[in-house]
Amino acid sequence: MKEIILLTGPPLNGRDEYIAEALKLAKGESYAYYHVFDYIRDVGKERGVKITRKNVLDFAINHQDLMNEIRDEAFERIRKEIDGSDKEYHLVSTPSLFRWGSGSVIGFTASNLKLLKPNRVVIVLDDVLSVRRRIINDPEWFERFGGNPENIKITTLVMWREDAINHVKTLVHELKKEGLEVRYVLQFGIRHPHRVFLDLLFREEEKPLVYLSYPMTGHEEEYYHRVRGFYDKLSEHFTVLDPGALDDWWVVAEYDAQVNADPSIKRIKIKHLLDGEEVEELDREDIEQATDILRRQLVERDFNLVDVSKAIAVYHYAEGVSAGVISEMAEAYRTLAAIYLYYPFKRRPSPFMEFYGMQNPSRRTMFRDEDEMVRAMLEEREYWAKV
């Protein structure tokens, strides 16, 4: 049976580059990859229209009817190729929705998706400061922002993400009303290792989705080293979704810390999370406007990852109660996911944590040994209730 996976998301989130790097490792997999822009460019050329990465945005906004026709023809060609293919997995990559100025560029419509009939939708996301850096390093895009970093607002990038995700949600809802079932929509951060992305695409049956829940802020380096080690152990057997693979929280945390230290501060200095060296100065007002949306997006994204997962593994190598972890355990309980809790301390945890942490299928227990918890998950996966 053919599996069609729509890979989409906001612009400039590194989707195509990430997918290309991951697929270099996909040796022996039965898949075909369809980059929708390539088909749009070819259809345009046949119609006497030159569409390039540099002019596609303006063309789509200024000639919407023609662009819609070209995009629809591109999807028809992709559907025809899928029908004639002997591959098992069909990966279709295109942006979701992009607003620019007074116009917008639609990556796909409800009719495009009805034709495509995706089994799964993966929204590929990057953190906002990485998106900002990507714009600065792209001459064409930097020029669109007047060649001035001050014009690249965090609020704008957050709203690009909001629009893209809402467009997907709306159209998938329309598909469901038509009786076309999409198994899930997943918000996937590109800090996940490429091998995890390939597990997600090709080995979902063999390595079911598991969400890794852990207290994320205010810990020493050794703590995060332990979390990463546990993530690697789990990833040998499961497709492990990590909320830290899309981390905007540190922007909010830095803002809070610097404003608390100096209430009159106007510029917020933030070291980039990945290299820990390059410092960006951001306008305080811009971060303030973006913060409420960022905080909500963080919660919605983590709940999305919990909702698509068959189980959650809670790695609570911290005695203090984490409101986020408790909330994720409650969400997992609500959606029938199996819950496994690693809590190695003698002191009893919160009664809520204890209650949710004893919801694994065949034994009502928490775990003090992480290897024992992984073994239990392997032994019990056939009892997991979530299909």
Side-chain angles (χ1 to χ4, degrees):
M1 182 178 176
K2 293 176 180 178
E3 178 94 0
I4 299 173
I5 306 169
L6 176 63
L7 304 169
T8 188
L12 293 158
N13 272 238
R15 182 189 70 258
D16 289 327
E17 296 88 345
Y18 180 81
I19 294 169
E21 287 300 309
L23 291 179
K24 289 178 183 177
L25 307 175
K27 307 299 183 185
E29 301 292 347
S30 176
Y31 76 91
Y33 177 58
Y34 310 87
H35 190 202
V36 174
F37 178 77
D38 293 340
Y39 290 80
I40 287 175
R41 184 183 55 205
D42 292 345
V43 173
K45 185 177 181 180
E46 292 171 14
R47 296 188 177 209
V49 178
K50 183 179 180 181
I51 299 177
T52 67
R53 287 193 175 279
K54 190 166 186 175
N55 73 7
V56 64
L57 182 60
D58 294 326
F59 179 81
I61 290 173
N62 296 324
H63 305 280
Q64 284 194 359
D65 290 343
L66 179 55
M67 186 63 184
N68 290 342
E69 291 177 14
I70 292 172
R71 184 197 58 238
D72 291 349
E73 174 66 21
F75 273 94
E76 287 171 11
R77 292 187 183 187
I78 290 170
R79 179 73 251 187
K80 187 175 293 186
E81 288 189 25
I82 291 173
D83 289 340
S85 172
D86 61 355
K87 303 297 185 183
E88 183 177 356
Y89 294 94
H90 298 269
L91 317 177
V92 181
S93 177
T94 190
S96 170
L97 172 70
F98 180 31
R99 302 191 194 280
W100 181 257
S102 59
S104 60
V105 179
I106 297 173
F108 46 83
T109 63
S111 61
N112 296 147
L113 293 194
K114 287 175 188 175
L115 180 69
L116 191 64
K117 295 183 176 64
N119 303 95
R120 295 181 272 161
V121 178
V122 179
I123 303 174
V124 181
L125 301 169
D126 200 0
D127 65 82
V128 289
L129 284 197
S130 291
V131 175
R132 186 174 184 272
R133 181 184 283 194
R134 195 172 286 118
I135 293 171
I136 292 171
N137 292 331
D138 184 319
E140 292 176 6
W141 271 101
F142 197 40
E143 184 182 336
R144 287 182 179 277
F145 283 90
N148 185 354
E150 293 297 311
N151 295 335
I152 309 171
K153 301 297 185 184
I154 298 298
T155 309
T156 300
L157 308 184
V158 169
M159 289 310 302
W160 283 1
R161 182 191 294 170
E162 188 90 348
D163 290 339
I165 292 172
N166 287 340
H167 184 64
V168 171
K169 287 181 178 178
T170 299
L171 296 194
V172 168
H173 181 68
E174 291 297 314
L175 289 189
K176 289 183 177 180
K177 288 199 298 186
E178 298 275 339
L180 298 173
E181 194 63 34
V182 176
R183 277 214 315 283
Y184 58 69
V185 174
L186 190 157
Q187 297 179 32
F188 187 86
I190 67 170
R191 303 303 164 203
H192 281 98
H194 292 123
R195 58 184 168 79
V196 173
F197 182 65
L198 296 179
D199 286 343
L200 170 68
L201 295 181
F202 305 126
R203 290 181 278 279
E204 192 183 353
E205 289 295 318
E206 175 192 341
K207 300 178 75 171
L209 298 180
V210 169
Y211 177 76
L212 178 61
S213 178
Y214 55 97
M216 291 186 67
T217 55
H219 303 285
E220 300 297 325
E221 183 62 32
E222 186 264 346
Y223 168 86
Y224 297 106
H225 182 73
R226 288 187 64 105
V227 172
R228 178 52 49 191
F230 184 69
Y231 180 91
D232 291 339
K233 284 182 186 178
L234 272 185
S235 294
E236 293 178 19
H237 312 286
F238 304 101
T239 302
V240 186
L241 301 175
D242 177 7
L246 179 67
D247 189 4
D248 293 310
W249 183 251
W250 53 286
V251 177
V252 178
E254 279 295 325
Y255 166 83
D256 287 342
Q258 293 179 41
V259 169
N260 287 338
D262 178 7
S264 65
I265 194 170
K266 300 296 183 185
R267 306 284 293 176
I268 306 297
K269 295 181 180 180
I270 301 181
K271 284 186 179 181
H272 198 276
L273 187 67
L274 296 182
D275 59 32
E277 296 176 3
E278 185 172 336
V279 177
E280 301 189 53
E281 284 197 18
L282 302 176
D283 179 61
R284 168 180 174 165
E285 221 172 88
D286 180 31
I287 297 181
E288 284 177 348
Q289 291 177 4
T291 292
D292 287 345
I293 305 172
L294 273 175
R295 288 165 66 92
R296 175 173 49 75
Q297 286 181 348
L298 180 146
V299 174
E300 290 178 349
R301 182 202 68 228
D302 287 1
F303 278 3
N304 167 260
L305 298 181
V306 171
D307 293 348
V308 303
S309 297
K310 301 292 190 293
I312 77 165
V314 181
Y315 193 80
H316 212 288
Y317 191 68
E319 288 196 69
V321 175
S322 165
V325 169
I326 292 285
S327 299
E328 289 164 356
M329 295 172 81
E331 179 69 5
Y333 181 74
R334 185 187 71 82
T335 60
L336 305 180
I339 303 170
Y340 294 84
L341 171 61
Y342 169 70
Y343 183 82
F345 307 103
K346 291 183 179 179
R347 175 185 171 186
R348 292 171 71 91
S350 149
F352 293 93
M353 181 178 291
E354 187 173 47
F355 172 80
Y356 291 126
M358 297 175 73
Q359 299 300 323
N360 42 75
S362 65
R363 49 181 124 175
R364 295 181 61 79
T365 185
M366 297 178 292
F367 296 87
R368 291 188 176 179
D369 183 286
E370 58 187 61
D371 293 322
E372 182 187 353
M373 189 168 100
V374 174
R375 286 194 298 270
M377 293 176 69
L378 283 168
E379 292 168 4
E380 297 175 7
R381 55 184 279 181
E382 63 185 276
Y383 301 110
W384 293 352
K386 216 169 181 180
V387 296

